[in-house]
Every structure is written in structure tokens, then in C-alpha cells.
Amino acid sequence: MVSKSKGDKRRNSHGGEPNRQGTAVPGGGGVAASLSLSGMSAPQRIAWLALLALVFVVPLAMGRLALPGAQTPITFDQFDLIKTFVIRVCVSIGLAAWAWHILIEGGRLRRSKVDYLIVALLGWVALTTITSIHPQTALFGTYRRYEGFLTYLTYAGTFFLAIQLLDRGSRIRTLAKTFFWSAAVVNAYAVLQYLGLDPVEWGPLSFEENRAFSFFGNPELLAGYVVMSLTIALSLALAEERTSWRAVYWSGFVVALVSWIATFTRGAWIAGAVALLVMLVVVIMTGVKLRGVDKAFLGAGGAAGAALVALSLSATNEVMNVWLRLSSILDFSTGSAGNRFRIWQSALDAVADRPILGFGADTFKLVFPKYRPIDYLGDGYLTVADNVHNYPLQLAVALGIPGLLLVIAVFGYAAYSSAPTVFLRSESASADRLVLAGFWAACVGYLAHLFFALSITSTTVLLWVATAAVLAPSARSIQVGELRWGRAGAVSAAVLAAAVVVASFVPLHADNLYVKSKLAQGQDRVALAEKAARALPYESAYRSEISIARMDVFVEALLQVDAVRGTASEQAARSALQGVFVDTERAMLDAMERSPWEFENYIFLANLYAAAGDYIDPTYYDRSIEVARTGIEDRGFTYDARLRFQLARGLHARGQSQEAFEHIKLAAQLAPDYPEAQLLFAEIARELGEPAGTGSVPDETR
């Protein structure tokens, strides 16, 4: 039995909790009150704590530290995999507990204004997964990104759970405070990194030293989270009546401000400024009166920010110099901005080819080699863009233009429908309204950041939570009565949640095997990589590891042949080499069959056949040529320097030096830092009497 009601009659103007007689009880002391647990059944409490755990634990979770007694980190992917695991476990437990309560005891089913749009989005992502160039990637997502269809389901489940539970102002405030304390740890650690006081030895980094990355592994990934933390800390500070706690929240804001600057991420600076501007508008429209403590911390924050900026001006590194960093933001011809612009161009080309259904969620890494601009340099010839660094374009490539429009509709309508509550002009603002404004500005800031960056599951899931928070006050309630099949449904939900939780451990186990394989050698490395692939058959990274490990064993066999050449042991060594070759070829063909759009599979196999041509039979050069041509011509990996090198290597070995020269010349031009290509280019150039030097990259179009 169900009945509908508009709004939530249990809310009251003071934001207090209703007691059994319906009168307001001001927020009091105690653990239950501080966590907003009063009035909840046991399953509801589990669901609520699961949501709070998601918000608090996900930003802090990482696999850097080894388990007691272990010699390796928990996982090779030290950040995103662990965070995704925590999200799925928390959401599964939360939804199962909520379902148990409503199916057995009855209660309110709350509906938001964007529910139908979210259902439509899920349906569209499911369709694009089926029609994807690689449905497995579209379903599970790319390694270290994981934003496939299952993650969209997780986003929707998180949003639904939050809408059900955020039914009063006190819970929204508790959610904000939970976010604040987690962010305080994240941002404090980021500041330590900037100051050179990081207690963890990370080894070589792929970005500038002292650039803050905290528990996210990369400054640009941290930056989006920090943008959200700025406005939530500020809203709590302005909403708090007690001076001591107001100072605590202001302190968190100042630390977040320093962390924000210390990421040295231009897009996040712009996005953070937009988010803070939104909060300024709210402050003006609601007539918030600044106190002495507010002015003191504003001054402290301004001084800290100014000092950090001034200190950066002496840096010769463009990235670590705020002025040089900002002044280069519109220079699309050189540096990171230039490469970013070229990635965007490749995305536009991809969208033009499949504008409706796209290529499937999270498949850009597979797509990019085909649409790679000829002048894309990246950070070297080994660089492959696995993300557009522009979320709207990323969505258009993955889900097609209709999918992009659905995402815009979800967040656009959420912003539009909740804006009157946030921006209503008044002489004073309640604490609830200010906290809602903080969430609203956090959403705007993070979405603005995504125009210059990539979506990561661990922060985008918080965007969905924040969106639920701003829509919660306008949610409609449907009263659900006792259901005859309720107990069976509740048990089914619990079993399903338990299955998801157990299944969520499998990627952790597989990645633990993967990291162990990286540290092993020879057949031990092969065996561990194969175990990882068996544990998670859809993960192409593990199959690539098998190919690399087996190639290393093959190279060892080659060296053994060289070592015994001309002796009685040579024949036995060559027989052993043949056996290793067969195993290596089988592994590489299997990897290619499972992931035909993974360009590295073509490089690995072409390289194997070329080596076999050197040591086993010259006819293997023909196979090397065939594989390289398939990658370049059939798959469209036109401007990959390594494939061009393998093609030129095979052609040259088969006496086709003139054609080989054209391919190796292009490889040398595409990758000036590719030593093997430069050496082969010089060798063939001398042979043909061609002039030395690579020249400039030719002005070609696809």
C-alpha cells in the first residue's frame, strides 16, 4: 500500500528533530545526535552510516601501505581501485539496509525531480555499452579509471540512497561535516607535501616535486576534490553559531585554500574561483553578517594565499610559478595546454565519426591512437592519452551527443530547480540554507573543473551526493505500507548486496597479484600475471603484463642462444627458444583477440615476430609486417611511432628499404626521443644516401 505526500512534513523551520509527539528537539549532545541517528531503525542507521562512511573514507582510501607482514603494496593501482572498492561496498550495504527497512517495516520512498532523467541516462549508457567497440571496457571501465556502466549504476545508487536519507536539515549538515573532516585530512596532507614534509616515500613522480596530490595520486585529480571542499568548509563556517566551531571550520577553509593553490592546476583555480563567487553571491543575497572571527580568518587566508603565490614567483619551473602558469593558459601551441588542445581535437574527430552512440563508456584510451593528431607529443613517444581532460567531450566520445545531453539535463535541471532555495533574497539565512548553498557551489565548482580535467569515480560520486543534498528539500514522499512479499524482497536485497561486496574483493586480489608480478622475474612473473588475468579475465592490463613477462622470458632465451652459439649446446638452446616463442605468441594472440582495439598488442606481437625473424626464421618478418600494417591501416593507428618503427624494421629486413625509409622517417619525426627509431632511420638513410636529420613533422591530414 502506498500514498503520496508533497515535501517532507517532518521538517521544521528550526531544523530540529521531531520527537514522538511531533515537537522540535534542538540538536543536542551525544553520538546519536551528532550523527543524526535519532528516530532511525537499526537498518536505517546502517544505511545512514554507510553513506557517511562513503563520504569520509573514499577520499582517504589508498593502497600504498603494505599489509602487516607483506612485502608489497596492497595493489598496483594505489588510489582509484581502492576508492572504487570502498564506494561499491558502502553503496551496496547502504541500499540493502534501506531496502530491508522499507520492505519489512514500511516507510517513505522519496522521489527527486531528476529521477526520470537518471533512469533515461542509465538506459542510454546500457545501450552504448552493448554497441561499444569493446563492450567489456564499456561495462567495467578502463584500468585506473573504472568509469564504465557499472560505475554509472553506482552513481545512481548513491544518489538514490542519499535522497532517501537526507530528509531533514540536520542530516544534510551532518553530511557536510563528514565531508569537512575528511577534507581536512586530505588538505592537511596536501600542504605537508607542498612544504616537502611528506612522510611517505613515493619514488619518482610523473609531475613536479612538491606539487600537492595527497591521497589522489595526481595533483589534477586532487584538485577537483579540493574545489568542492572550499565551499563546503566556507558554508559550515558561515552557518555555525558557536565561535569556537566557527573558527574550526574557518581553519579548514584556510587549509583547503592553501591546498587548492598548491595543486598548481589551472583549471581548478578557475573552477574554485567560480565556486567561491557563487558563495559570495549567496552571502550578499542572504545578508550574512561577518563577525570578527570571520574577518580574521579571511585575512589569514588571504595572507597565506598571497604568500604562497609570491613564493611561487621565484620558481623557474613554469608549472610551479603561478604567474607563468596562468599566463600560459591560452597558449594552445606549446606545453601542456598545446597537447591538451590536440587531445580535444582528437575527441572532436572521434565524435564526428560516431555522434549518436559513441564508442562506449570509458573507451577513450582505445580510441585515441586512431584519432591521435600528428603533432601530439604528450610526455614522450610512450604517452597515450587515456582521457580527454574535458568531461563534456569525454562524454560525447563515450556516450554520443545524446548521452552528453542527458548528463547535462540531469545536473542542469538539478541546478535550476534548486537555485530558488539557494539564491532567494532575504535579510537573514538559516544554517540549513547556507549549507545547501555550500553543496550547490561545490557542484558548480566541480562541474566547472571538469571542463579542464577528467572525471574520477572517487570525486564524481561525491558530486552525485552533493546533487542529492541540494534536491533533498524538494523531494516528494510516497508512503509504503506493509508488503506481503517484503521479507522475501529484503532477504534478496541482502543476498545481492553480499554478493556485490564479495565480488568487489576480486579486483583487489587480482591487482595484488599484478603488483607481485611486477616485482617478480622470469617464469614466476609469468605465473603471477596469468593468475591475475584468471582472477579478472576482462582486465586488458593483466593480459598485457602476460605478454610483457613472456617477452622478457623470450629475450632471455635469445641471450642464451647467443651465449652458446657455435657450441654443442646451441641446438638445445634453439629448441628451447622455439618452445618459448610458441608460448609467447599464444599469449599475445590471446590478448589481441580479447582486446583488438588495444594498440600495444600490435606493437608487442610485431616486435615478437621481428625478433623471431632475427633468430628463428626470416619469414617471421612477413608476419611482423602484416601485424604492423593491420594496426596502422585497418585499426587506424596512423601516427604511432612504435608501430611505424616495427613496420620499417620488418620491411628493411626483407630488403624493402625504400618503403621502410618512409615509415621510419615518419616515426623519427613523430618521436624525436625514440632512440631505436632514430638509429634505424640513420642506418637506412645512410644505406639509401638520404640526407641525415629527422626534419619537422610533415603537414599531413588523415
Side-chain angles (χ1 to χ4, degrees), residues 151-471:
T151 292
Y152 282 88
L153 278 178
T154 305
Y155 291 155
T158 305
F159 176 86
F160 178 83
L161 181 64
I163 283 289
Q164 304 312 308
L165 298 172
L166 297 174
D167 60 353
R168 63 200 69 179
S170 62
R171 289 185 187 167
I172 296 175
R173 292 196 304 275
T174 298
L175 183 75
K177 293 173 184 177
T178 303
F179 190 112
F180 170 85
W181 286 113
S182 182
V185 178
V186 170
N187 290 324
Y189 184 34
V191 173
L192 287 178
Q193 289 175 328
Y194 172 71
L195 297 174
L197 302 175
D198 190 342
V200 179
E201 286 289 340
W202 293 99
L205 300 173
S206 60
F207 43 84
E208 294 72 20
E209 188 177 359
N210 288 44
R211 232 180 131 186
F213 61 90
S214 195
F215 299 99
F216 287 78
N218 186 287
E220 293 195 11
L221 306 185
L222 166 66
Y225 177 79
V226 176
V227 167
M228 297 185 77
S229 73
L230 282 169
T231 61
I232 291 176
L234 181 58
S235 69
L236 286 170
L238 296 175
E240 180 59 54
E241 289 296 326
R242 294 164 294 181
T243 301
S244 58
W245 278 103
R246 200 170 178 110
V248 169
Y249 295 134
W250 270 114
S251 298
F253 172 78
V254 171
V255 174
L257 186 71
V258 175
S259 173
W260 174 52
I261 298 173
T263 63
F264 290 93
T265 302
R266 293 168 296 192
W269 290 344
I270 296 172
V274 170
L276 292 174
L277 180 61
V278 169
M279 287 301 297
L280 177 62
V281 171
V282 171
V283 167
I284 293 173
M285 294 187 69
T286 56
V288 173
K289 304 297 183 183
L290 295 182
R291 305 179 185 176
V293 64
D294 303 331
K295 296 175 182 178
F297 275 98
L298 279 173
L308 198 157
V309 171
L311 183 63
S312 79
L313 297 181
S314 61
T316 56
N317 186 310
E318 179 182 310
V319 173
M320 301 298 289
N321 185 306
V322 171
W323 170 249
L324 294 178
R325 191 78 166 138
L326 288 174
S327 60
S328 65
I329 198 168
L330 296 178
D331 182 5
F332 292 113
S333 60
T334 61
S336 60
N339 279 323
R340 192 70 51 84
F341 182 76
R342 294 178 184 93
I343 296 173
W344 294 351
Q345 184 59 56
S346 72
L348 290 171
D349 292 341
V351 173
D353 274 2
R354 294 186 62 156
I356 304 301
L357 293 172
F359 292 84
D362 213 12
T363 57
F364 187 72
K365 180 185 177 183
L366 303 179
V367 171
F368 177 74
K370 179 178 180 179
Y371 297 94
R372 178 191 189 276
I374 192 170
D375 54 349
Y376 174 77
L377 299 177
D379 293 321
Y381 71 95
L382 296 175
T383 304
V384 176
D386 65 355
N387 202 285
V388 182
H389 290 269
N390 179 299
Y391 196 46
L393 277 178
Q394 177 87 5
L395 290 170
V397 173
L399 310 179
I401 295 174
L404 168 62
L405 293 178
L406 280 170
V407 173
I408 292 174
V410 169
F411 293 108
Y413 188 65
Y416 171 79
S417 61
S418 58
T421 302
V422 173
F423 292 100
L424 179 66
R425 184 178 292 277
S426 63
E427 294 183 0
S428 61
S430 67
D432 290 350
R433 183 177 169 190
L434 287 171
V435 172
L436 281 178
F439 278 117
W440 201 94
C443 292
V444 171
Y446 185 62
L447 288 169
H449 168 70
L450 290 180
F451 275 88
F452 309 96
L454 59 154
S455 164
I456 58 169
T457 305
S458 56
T459 306
T460 300
V461 72
L462 299 177
L463 168 68
W464 286 85
V465 172
T467 302
V470 300
L471 288 173

Side-chain angles (χ1 to χ4, degrees), residues 369 372-374 376-377 380-384 599 603 628 632 637-649 662-678 680 697:
R372 178 191 189 276
I374 192 170
Y376 174 77
L377 299 177
Y381 71 95
L382 296 175
T383 304
V384 176
F599 80 101
I603 297 171
I632 293 170
F637 305 148
T638 309
Y639 298 126
D640 185 82
R642 286 181 288 172
L643 265 182
R644 291 282 179 178
F645 167 76
Q646 294 298 339
L647 179 55
R649 179 184 178 186
E662 297 305 318
H663 292 292
I664 196 61
K665 179 180 180 182
L666 179 56
Q669 291 167 336
L670 289 170
D673 58 339
Y674 188 0
E676 291 87 349
Q678 299 299 332
L680 184 59
V697 175

